[in-house]
C-alpha cells in the first residue's frame, strides 16, 4: 500500500515578475547614497525627521504617516538629528546615514514595478501586456529619480496601488467570508488608510476604489439568491474593515504623531494659542500663572485665531494722506496684524465709562456682550473704525488709532465683545481659551484681518478692516498673553495688582481638540499654498513631461539631477488615451447595434479597464485644473501609472480586435519592439540627469534637451 505524504508544499516562481523586481531594485538602489548632499525637498523632510527625534512640534500640510515612517527609519539607523538640512546642495557629513534615510522611498519605488504587473494580471490581461507596462515603469526616469531621495511620493504611490491590487484580489474571490476574502478586504482597508495618511492627494484614487466597492455591494443587493441576513453580513463586514477600521487607524496615526511631538517648537505660531500653550515649553511658560479672566484694565495681546498667524498691532506711523490710487485716508495711526511677537502688540482693555485705564479694586470681569475700548499700550491711541475705505480693499472700512481717545466722537471707539465659544467656555471672557469677535458699535461691523499685505509704508503687514459679515473665521480673536496692572498716582509707574490671584492652571487641550484644530489648519493651508517657484508647472505641462524640476547641481561642475519623465513613454501613453476612447466608443456603439464583438468576460474586462485605468487617470489629473495652489511635475505621477497601464492594455485590445492576419500582427510586434528600443534610448539619454553621476559639458547638456522647455542648469 502506497503511503500518502502528510505534508506537501508546491512552489511556483514567476521568473518574469522576479526579474522585473530585481531589476527595479537595482535601478533604484544603485548609488543610493549619492549625491551626499541635500536634494530638492530633502531639506524639508530632513528637518521633520530631526523634529520627530527631538519630539518637537512642527506643522505640515501633509498627514504624518510618511514622515513617521521616515523618522522611524532614521531612529533605527541611529541618526543623531544634529544636521540642520538648511539648503539644497549642502554636503552631508560623513556620520549621517543618508543611505538608510533614503532606503524606504527607494524600496517603495522599487515595488511599484511588480505592483503594476500584478494589477494588470488581476485585470485578466496577458503576461506580455503586464510585462510591457511594468517594463515602462521600470525605465521611467521620473519614477527612478523620485524613488531615490527622502521624499513621500513613492511611499504614497506604493500604498495607493497596493490598495488597488487588494481591491482586484478581493473582487476575484468567489467564496465569500473565506479566510482569503477577509484578508484581502483587510488589506484594502489598511492600504487605503495608509495612502490617505501619507498625502491627501491619494483621495482621488481611494474615492474610485470606494465607488467600485459600493457598486459591487449594490450588485449583491440585486442578487435574489442572497438572503437579507447574508446581505447584512456583507454590509457589516465592509462597514467594519473599510470604514470603522480605517477611521480608527487614521485617528491612531495622528495620536502617535501628537504624542511624539509634545514639545514646543518653531511652528507653534501656526496653531492657536490654546494649542501652543498645551505643548511643553514655549507659550506654556509664558501663559502659566497669568490671570485667567479678562477684566477692565487688563493688558493683553490679541491673536488672530484661525487663518492667519498674526497679532493685532499698531505703531506710531500714520496712514498716507493719499494712496497711489488717488483715494484719501483718515491720516490716523496705522492698525495692522503683525506676524511676530512685539511690544506694539499690547493693548489695554478700557472701560468706556471711566477715564481710568488700570485694573479696579475689585476687578470687574468682562462678559459676553459688554462694551469695551482698546487702547494701544505703546502709543495710547484707541482702536477706532469709521466710514473711510480700507487702504487695500476699499469695500471694507478702515481701522485706525485716535490721537486722543478722550476727545472727538468717542462712539467710534466702542466695541462689543461677542464670545464665539461661550457654550463651552462660559459667558465670562477668558484668556487663551475664549474666542471673541469685536463688533464696532457705531457701524455694526466686525474687526477682521483681510489677508492682504500693506505696501512698504505699512511694512508689508496684514491689513486690518471691519466687515458686516459675522459668520467667518477672519474676525475671530483670542487673548494670548495677559496681565493685570495698576497705574500709580503719578501715572507713569506700573505695578502688579496685589489683590488679584493669577491662575496657575493652563487649560491643556485633549487629543480630540488638537486633532480637530490640526485637521482644519492642514486643509486651510493646503489650499493656500501660493509660491513663486522657478520649476512650478501647470497641468497642461505634465502629459508630455514638458517641464521638470532641478533637484540638485554640484557646486563646481554641471553634474546635476533633474526630474523628468521618459518622454517616449509619456507621449505614447498620452496618445493611448484617445485611442482607447475610440476603441471603447466603437465597441459600445456596435454592442448597441447588436454586434457581438466581445464575450461577457471581455466586456467586463473592458468596463473595468475604463473605470480603473481611464477613470484613475482622469481622477488623478483633471482636478488639478481647478486648483490654484502651486503645482509640480510629481503631482502627475499617480495619473502616470494609470495611463502607462492603459497604454499596455490598449496594445492588447488593438492586437486582439483589429489585427486579424499573421502579417498584421508581426508588423505590430515589430513596431512595439521599435517603441521599446526608443524607450531604452530615451532612458539612457536622461540617465546622467537621473543619477547625477556624470559631469557633462555645456554642449552635452544642450544636446540632451528634447524640448526647449527642459530647463537644465549650465555652469560655464
Amino acid at each position: 500500500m502506497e503511503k500518502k505524504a502528510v505534508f506537501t508544499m508546491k512552489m511556483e516562481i514567476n521568473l518574469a515578475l522576479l526579474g522585473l523586481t530585481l531589476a527595479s531594485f537595482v535601478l533604484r538602489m544603485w548609488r543610493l547614497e549619492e549625491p551626499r548632499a541635500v536634494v530638492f525637498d530633502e531639506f524639508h523632510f530632513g528637518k521633520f525627521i530631526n523634529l520627530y527625534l527631538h519630539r518637537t512640534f512642527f506643522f505640515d500640510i501633509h498627514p504624518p504617516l510618511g514622515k513617521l515612517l521616515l523618522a522611524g527609519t532614521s531612529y533605527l539607523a541611529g541618526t543623531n538629528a544634529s544636521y540642520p538640512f538648511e539648503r539644497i546642495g549642502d554636503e552631508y557629513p560623513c556620520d549621517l546615514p543618508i543611505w538608510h534615510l533614503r532606503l524606504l522611498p527607494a524600496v517603495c519605488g522599487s515595488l511599484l514595478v511588480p505592483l503594476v504587473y500584478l494589477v494588470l494580471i488581476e485585470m485578466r490581461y496577458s503576461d506580455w501586456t503586464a510585462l510591457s507596462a511594468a517594463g515602462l515603469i521600470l525605465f521611467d526616469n521620473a519614477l527612478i529619480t523620485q524613488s531615490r531621495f527622502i521624499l513621500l511620493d513613492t511611499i504614497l504611490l506604493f500604498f495607493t496601488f497596493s490598495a488597488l491590487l487588494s481591491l482586484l484580489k478581493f473582487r476575484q474571490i468567489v467564496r465569500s467570508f473565506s479566510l482569503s476574502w477577509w484578508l484581502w478586504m483587510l488589506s484594502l482597508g489598511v492600504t487605503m488608510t495608509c495612502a490617505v495618511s501619507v498625502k491627501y492627494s491619494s483621495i482621488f484614487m481611494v474615492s474610485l476604489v470606494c465607488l467600485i466597492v459600493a457598486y459591487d455591494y449594490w450588485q449583491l443587493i440585486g442578487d435574489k439568491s442572497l438572503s437579507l441576513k447574508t446581505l447584512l453580513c456583507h454590509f457589516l463586514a465592509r462597514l467594519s474593515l473599510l470604514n470603522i477600521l480605517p477611521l480608527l487607524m487614521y485617528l491612531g496615526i495622528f495620536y502617535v504623531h501628537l504624542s511624539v511631538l509634545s514639545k514646543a517648537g518653531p511652528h507653534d505660531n501656526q496653531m492657536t494659542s490654546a494649542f501652543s500653550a498645551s505643548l511643553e515649553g514655549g507659550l506654556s511658560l509664558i501663559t502659566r500663572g497669568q490671570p485667567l479672566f479678562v477684566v477692565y484694565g487688563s493688558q493683553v495681546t490679541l491673536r488672530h485665531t484661525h487663518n492667519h498667524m498674526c497679532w493685532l498691532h499698531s505703531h506710531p506711523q500714520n496712514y498716507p494722506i493719499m494712496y497711489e490710487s488717488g483715494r484719501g485716508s483718515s491720516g490716523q495711526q496705522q492698525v495692522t496684524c503683525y506676524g511676530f511677537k512685539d511690544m506694539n502688540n499690547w493693548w489695554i482693555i478700557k472701560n468706556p465709562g471711566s477715564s481710568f485705564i488700570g485694573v479696579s479694586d475689585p476687578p470687574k470681569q468682562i462678559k459676553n456682550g459688554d462694551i469695551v475700548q482698546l487702547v494701544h499700550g505703546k502709543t495710547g491711541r484707541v482702536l477706532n473704525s469709521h466710514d473711510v475705505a480700507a487702504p487695500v480693499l476699499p469695500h471694507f472700512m478702515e481701522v485706525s488709532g485716535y490721537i486722543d481717545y478722550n476727545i472727538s466722537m468717542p462712539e467710534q471707539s466702542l466695541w462689543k465683545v461677542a464670545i464665539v465659544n461661550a457654550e463651552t467656555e462660559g459667558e465670562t471672557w477668558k484668556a487663551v481659551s475664549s474666542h471673541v469677535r469685536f463688533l464696532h458699535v457705531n457701524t455694526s461691523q466686525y474687526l477682521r484681518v483681510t489677508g492682504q499685505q500693506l505696501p512698504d509704508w505699512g511694512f508689508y503687514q496684514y491689513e486690518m478692516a471691519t466687515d458686516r459679515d459675522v459668520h467667518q473665521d477672519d474676525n475671530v480673536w483670542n487673548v494670548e498673553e495677559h496681565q493685570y496692572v495698576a497705574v500709580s498716582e503719578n501715572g507713569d509707574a506700573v505695578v502688579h495688582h496685589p489683590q488679584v490671584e493669577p491662575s496657575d492652571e493652563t487649560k491643556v487641550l485633549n487629543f480630540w481638540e488638537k486633532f480637530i484644530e490640526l485637521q482644519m489648519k492642514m486643509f486651510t493651508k493646503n489650499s493656500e499654498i501660493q509660491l513663486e517657484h522657478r520649476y512650478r508647472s501647470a497641468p497642461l505641462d505634465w502629459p508630455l513631461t514638458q517641464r521638470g524640476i532641478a533637484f540638485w547641481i554640484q557646486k563646481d561642475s554641471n553634474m546635476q539631477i533633474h526630474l523628468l519623465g521618459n518622454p517616449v513613454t509619456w507621449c505614447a501613453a498620452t496618445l493611448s488615451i484617445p485611442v482607447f476612447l475610440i476603441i471603447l466608443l466603437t465597441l459600445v456603439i456596435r454592442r448597441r447595434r447588436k454586434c457581438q464583438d466581445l464575450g461577457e468576460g471581455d466586456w467586463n474586462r473592458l468596463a473595468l479597464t475604463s473605470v480603473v485605468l481611464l477613470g484613475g487617470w482622469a481622477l488623478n489629473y483633471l482636478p488639478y485644473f481647478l486648483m490654484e495652489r502651486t503645482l509640480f511635475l510629481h503631482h502627475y505621477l499617480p495619473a502616470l501609472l494609470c495611463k502607462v497601464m492603459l497604454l499596455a492594455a490598449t496594445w492588447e485590445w488593438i492586437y486582439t480586435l483589429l489585427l486579424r492576419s499573421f502579417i498584421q500582427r508581426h508588423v505590430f510586434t515589430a513596431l512595439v519592439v521599435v517603441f521599446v528600443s526608443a524607450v531604452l534610448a530615451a532612458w539612457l539619454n536622461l540617465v546622467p540627469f537621473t543619477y547625477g553621476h556624470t559631469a557633462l559639458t555645456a554642449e552635452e547638456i544642450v544636446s540632451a534637451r528634447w524640448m526647449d522647455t527642459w530647463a537644465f542648469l549650465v555652469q560655464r
Side-chain angles (χ1 to χ4, degrees):
M1 182 177 178
E2 184 179 350
K3 294 184 178 180
K4 293 185 178 179
V6 178
F7 177 80
T8 60
M9 182 174 64
K10 182 180 179 181
M11 179 180 294
E12 292 184 1
I13 298 177
N14 188 323
L15 295 178
L17 180 60
L18 179 61
L20 282 170
T21 305
L22 292 177
S24 182
F25 272 90
V26 169
L27 291 181
R28 284 147 179 80
M29 304 289 286
W30 181 64
R31 298 171 62 94
L32 187 60
E33 73 283 359
E34 299 294 335
R36 288 197 64 86
V38 180
V39 176
F40 192 51
D41 275 353
E42 281 191 334
F43 81 97
H44 283 310
F45 296 108
K47 288 178 180 177
F48 294 153
I49 290 172
N50 286 347
L51 291 169
Y52 268 123
L53 296 180
H54 287 122
R55 306 199 66 177
T56 302
F57 177 80
F58 66 87
F59 174 80
D60 184 39
I61 61 172
H62 301 306
L65 179 60
K67 298 182 290 290
L68 277 169
L69 293 173
L70 291 173
T73 304
S74 179
Y75 175 78
L76 294 175
T79 306
N80 59 17
S82 60
Y83 183 73
F85 293 92
E86 290 183 347
R87 291 178 299 274
I88 296 174
D90 286 353
E91 296 292 327
Y92 287 128
C94 295
D95 60 346
L96 186 74
I98 188 62
W99 188 91
H100 298 82
L101 297 183
R102 292 171 175 171
L103 178 62
L104 179 62
V107 170
C108 290
S110 301
L111 292 175
L112 288 177
V113 173
L115 268 177
V116 165
Y117 179 91
L118 292 172
V119 165
L120 285 173
I121 291 297
E122 289 301 318
M123 294 178 69
R124 297 292 189 252
Y125 283 98
S126 68
D127 285 334
W128 282 109
T129 299
L131 182 63
S132 300
L136 295 177
I137 299 300
L138 175 66
F139 290 105
D140 185 75
N141 301 81
L143 291 171
I144 294 175
T145 301
Q146 201 71 25
S147 302
R148 293 172 47 78
F149 304 108
I150 311 172
L151 304 171
L152 298 181
D153 294 275
T154 52
I155 303 175
L156 169 73
L157 292 172
F158 170 74
F159 284 126
T160 302
F161 285 87
S162 293
L164 178 58
L165 177 62
S166 299
L167 171 69
L168 296 172
K169 287 280 190 181
F170 172 69
R171 297 179 86 242
Q172 296 294 340
I173 298 174
V174 177
R175 185 184 166 200
S176 300
F177 306 108
S178 62
L179 178 60
S180 58
W181 187 88
W182 284 107
L183 289 177
W184 282 115
M185 189 192 294
L186 175 64
S187 174
L188 175 58
V190 170
T191 50
M192 281 196 308
T193 309
C194 290
V196 174
S197 300
V198 173
K199 277 189 176 184
Y200 288 130
S201 57
S202 63
I203 198 67
F204 302 129
M205 200 67 179
V206 168
S207 298
L208 179 62
V209 169
C210 292
L211 286 174
I212 295 173
V213 171
Y215 172 80
D216 288 344
Y217 184 70
W218 182 254
Q219 294 297 107
L220 289 178
I221 294 176
D223 187 352
K224 293 184 178 181
S225 64
L226 299 178
S227 65
L228 290 178
K229 179 181 178 181
T230 302
L231 289 175
L232 179 62
C233 290
H234 274 281
F235 175 78
L236 293 176
R238 287 161 173 77
L239 178 67
S240 301
L241 296 185
L242 302 182
N243 292 274
I244 297 176
L245 175 65
L247 178 61
L248 293 177
M249 280 186 61
Y250 185 76
L251 292 173
I253 289 167
F254 272 90
Y255 183 83
V256 173
H257 174 72
L258 292 171
S259 298
V260 172
L261 303 182
S262 59
K263 299 179 181 179
H267 294 183
D268 294 2
N269 289 339
Q270 297 280 352
M271 312 306 293
T272 63
S273 301
F275 192 108
S276 300
S278 298
L279 300 171
E280 300 172 19
L283 185 61
S284 64
L285 298 178
I286 299 174
T287 58
R288 184 181 298 124
Q290 72 178 10
L292 177 62
F293 295 104
V294 181
V295 302
Y296 288 114
S298 287
Q299 290 190 2
V300 302
T301 62
L302 290 166
R303 178 176 173 172
H304 187 258
T305 305
H306 288 76
N307 296 335
H308 304 283
M309 184 192 73
C310 60
W311 290 261
L312 186 65
H313 176 94
S314 188
H315 38 244
Q317 288 77 12
N318 296 338
Y319 288 112
I321 298 298
M322 190 73 68
Y323 298 123
E324 292 182 356
S325 63
R327 291 189 298 108
S329 77
S330 67
Q332 295 179 0
Q333 182 168 295
Q334 296 176 23
V335 174
T336 66
C337 203
Y338 186 44
F340 300 91
K341 292 183 181 294
D342 188 89
M343 288 301 296
N344 281 316
N345 296 346
W346 283 89
W347 299 80
I348 300 171
I349 311 296
K350 179 184 172 294
N351 187 342
S354 170
S355 60
F356 182 59
I357 61 172
V359 177
S360 61
D361 190 5
K364 184 178 179 181
Q365 296 178 353
I366 301 173
K367 299 186 180 298
N368 191 19
D370 284 351
I371 307 297
V372 301
Q373 288 179 307
L374 298 174
V375 182
H376 189 239
K378 292 283 286 186
T379 64
R381 298 189 182 181
V382 69
L383 188 71
N384 151 73
S385 184
H386 42 209
D387 192 12
V388 176
V392 180
L393 298 178
H395 54 284
F396 296 138
M397 287 189 183
E398 178 190 86
V399 175
S400 62
Y402 271 134
I403 295 174
D404 187 342
Y405 61 82
N406 286 318
I407 61 175
S408 179
M409 305 173 69
E411 66 274 6
Q412 292 190 357
S413 63
L414 300 180
W415 301 87
K416 182 178 180 180
V417 177
I419 301 178
V420 179
N421 55 349
E423 291 184 359
T424 57
E425 295 299 328
E427 294 289 325
T428 303
W429 189 3
K430 298 177 184 176
V432 179
S433 59
S434 291
H435 292 178
V436 300
R437 291 187 173 103
F438 294 101
L439 172 66
H440 189 243
V441 174
N442 193 43
T443 61
S444 298
Q445 300 205 115
Y446 289 86
L447 183 70
R448 63 162 293 175
V449 186
T450 68
Q452 301 296 313
Q453 283 187 303
L454 296 171
D456 56 353
W457 55 256
F459 308 101
Y460 303 103
Q461 297 172 16
Y462 284 119
E463 178 190 42
M464 289 295 304
T466 58
D467 180 15
R468 290 189 182 278
D469 185 8
V470 58
H471 299 293
Q472 57 176 308
D473 292 337
D474 287 328
N475 59 17
V476 182
W477 304 83
N478 72 275
V479 169
E480 185 171 87
E481 297 181 59
H482 178 215
Q483 59 186 19
Y484 290 163
V485 295
V487 183
S488 63
E489 293 181 359
N490 60 18
D492 58 8
V494 180
V495 295
H496 190 275
H497 197 289
Q499 297 185 15
V500 174
E501 291 295 333
S503 172
D504 291 325
E505 296 183 3
T506 300
K507 179 181 178 181
V508 178
L509 299 186
N510 59 37
F511 165 71
W512 290 106
E513 292 170 318
K514 285 185 176 181
F515 171 75
I516 293 171
E517 179 179 332
L518 184 58
Q519 285 286 274
M520 296 304 296
K521 189 74 68 172
M522 290 167 66
F523 292 145
T524 301
K525 292 295 181 181
N526 203 334
S527 61
E528 289 179 354
I529 295 178
Q530 290 288 343
L531 300 175
E532 288 299 326
H533 197 287
R534 179 180 177 183
Y535 295 101
R536 66 184 297 180
S537 54
L540 286 176
D541 299 324
W542 300 342
L544 305 181
T545 189
Q546 290 175 270
R547 285 184 58 82
I549 306 173
F551 268 27
W552 169 83
I553 185 169
Q554 195 176 60
K555 295 178 181 179
D556 54 357
S557 76
N558 286 323
M559 191 180 294
Q560 62 185 282
I561 295 175
H562 205 94
L563 181 71
L564 275 173
N566 189 311
V568 176
T569 300
W570 286 47
C571 293
T574 301
L575 182 61
S576 72
I577 295 170
V579 172
F580 179 80
L581 279 172
I582 292 171
I583 294 173
L584 176 64
L585 291 175
T586 301
L587 291 174
V588 168
I589 293 172
R590 285 179 59 80
R591 183 179 176 88
R592 181 64 177 169
R593 294 178 62 83
K594 308 302 182 183
C595 299
Q596 302 300 325
D597 298 301
L598 299 176
E600 197 61 32
D602 284 336
W603 269 113
N604 292 335
R605 184 161 61 107
L606 182 65
L608 186 63
T609 303
S610 305
V611 172
V612 173
L613 301 185
L614 183 61
W617 171 81
L619 282 176
N620 283 286
Y621 177 52
L622 299 181
Y624 287 104
F625 284 93
L626 305 176
M627 297 184 186
E628 296 181 356
R629 56 158 293 176
T630 304
L631 299 171
F632 297 94
L633 181 65
H634 56 73
H635 288 110
Y636 189 64
L637 295 182
L640 170 69
L641 264 66
C642 290
K643 77 172 185 179
V644 168
M645 287 189 282
L646 183 64
L647 170 62
T650 303
W651 287 351
E652 182 165 322
W653 287 110
I654 292 174
Y655 189 86
T656 56
L657 290 176
L658 303 180
L659 307 180
R660 301 295 185 182
S661 69
F662 179 82
I663 295 177
Q664 288 176 334
R665 292 190 171 185
H666 273 66
V667 169
F668 182 79
T669 302
L671 292 175
V672 170
V673 171
V674 171
F675 170 77
V676 171
S677 302
V679 168
L680 292 174
W683 174 75
L684 286 171
N685 181 70
L686 292 178
V687 158
F689 303 95
T690 301
Y691 295 98
H693 65 297
T694 304
L696 301 175
T697 65
E699 292 74 18
E700 288 173 327
I701 291 175
V702 171
S703 65
R705 291 176 178 165
W706 288 37
M707 304 181 191
D708 293 337
T709 52
W710 288 5
F712 293 144
L713 302 177
V714 179
Q715 296 183 144
R716 298 186 184 276

